[in-house]
Amino acid sequence: MASIIKRSSRGTTKYEAAIRRRGGVSVSKTFSSRREALAWAATIESEIARGVFVDRTSAERNTFGDLLERYQREISPYKKGGSLEILRIQRLLTDPLARIKVATLTGAHIAQYRDRRLAGDMKRKAVSGSTVNRELTLISHVLTIASKEWGVHVHVNPVSQIRRPRENRARTRRLGDDEEKRLLVELEPNREDVARGYGPGGCRGCRNEYMRPIVILAIETAMRRGEILSLRWDDVHLEDRYVRLHDTKNGEARDVPLSSRALQTLAELSAKHRHIGGRVFPVSVEALKQSFVRACERADIADLRFHDLRHEATSRIAERLDNPLELSAVTGHKTVQMLKRYYHPRASDLARKLG
């Protein structure tokens, strides 16, 4: 039998229902009336007797924000792209979704979150369907880990109950005729900025001397942002004209050949100074993103993302390496289908080949 304990404090009376059974089942809950306490106790005892009892204490006690904070401490740091995921979690922690108890979290709450992100508001701009889908995938995985490994009861993952927004169309953005030149001009050292104390690079407005060589390397090698930022001098082989990537997106190491321009860029950077930690580009993902956005704004270049440089590089390299196997060896794509998503030949270039 359950025990009902009456507790009074400062003129308020509460009733605690407690159930303790042999075999480790020990649960309790407090109610404002004795009738509610008895009804809850009867339900729990029936579930125990039928062998279907599930402890909901953790789900009732923890908010979704509590799960997010634990996930970013215990899971995200060990994932590829973990730093970006932590930024995504920090944004989620400011959303009303984070304040909802896990036990009461439903598909309707997730749908409201989806719609808020797609519509935007006064504080945050609207985001694309692809961005929302990545966030929904993260929310779903947090709840799955909590249910399987942390003992938090999630009867049905609410993300599985809603409609996902439509994915964006694949991007085909390439650099225009003079966009590369304008962008690199805005990343050149500026004496006036150096004089104002912006550091040895004196990068116009971005204060980051590594941005120009990073952009050149991206255009020349088709390396991903994370691959460029994780590059270490021990893996740069200037004499043999290649760099070795140990930690790539597909999990396999890759040797990336260096064009003459890429080789010169790394050689010049090596001759200046090397970071004490051994990284070629000691720059954070967020710093790179902000610097690139500002440089595009100053160069009056619209709708260009850093990842578009990988599309540009793949398309340029394809003009020199017409063998798909050789091309995929450079870019790291494992299938021809994925490679095709990054190859965007200009119609004018194809017309010239046709004669």
Side-chain angles (χ1 to χ4, degrees), residues 175 178-188 203-208 210-212 215 287-306 309:
L175 290 170
D178 65 338
E179 285 183 330
E180 179 183 349
K181 180 179 179 181
R182 283 156 44 201
L183 178 60
L184 293 178
V185 165
E186 291 302 330
L187 295 174
E188 288 177 351
C203 184
R204 298 182 181 182
C206 71
R207 313 182 187 187
N208 193 326
Y210 295 103
M211 278 305 301
R212 192 171 189 275
V215 168
L288 185 152
K289 180 179 178 181
Q290 294 297 327
S291 296
F292 188 78
V293 168
R294 295 189 190 110
C296 287
E297 290 174 351
R298 294 192 303 274
D300 194 26
I301 299 174
D303 189 36
L304 181 67
R305 304 172 187 174
F306 187 85
L309 302 183

Side-chain angles (χ1 to χ4, degrees), residues 87-104:
L87 290 175
R88 194 170 288 131
I89 288 174
Q90 290 173 351
R91 203 222 66 80
L92 269 167
L93 286 169
T94 65
D95 190 89
L97 186 69
R99 298 192 289 272
I100 299 173
K101 296 289 187 181
V102 177
T104 62

Side-chain angles (χ1 to χ4, degrees), residues 235-286:
D235 299 316
V236 176
H237 305 277
L238 296 177
E239 291 186 1
D240 295 321
R241 297 185 57 156
Y242 76 94
V243 298
R244 175 158 294 162
L245 303 176
H246 296 282
D247 189 21
T248 65
K249 185 177 180 179
N250 61 29
E252 297 180 359
R254 181 168 97 252
D255 290 341
V256 180
L258 298 174
S259 66
S260 298
R261 188 185 183 196
L263 181 68
Q264 180 183 356
T265 299
L266 285 173
E268 291 176 354
L269 195 61
S270 175
K272 290 181 180 179
H273 58 81
R274 296 191 178 188
H275 187 258
I276 191 171
R279 292 176 60 191
V280 178
F281 302 110
V283 179
S284 69
V285 171
E286 190 63 20

Side-chain angles (χ1 to χ4, degrees), residues 159-172:
V159 178
S160 67
Q161 298 178 310
I162 69 164
R163 291 175 294 108
R164 294 261 187 159
R166 182 177 297 178
E167 284 284 329
N168 303 344
R169 290 183 178 180
R171 288 180 66 84
T172 59

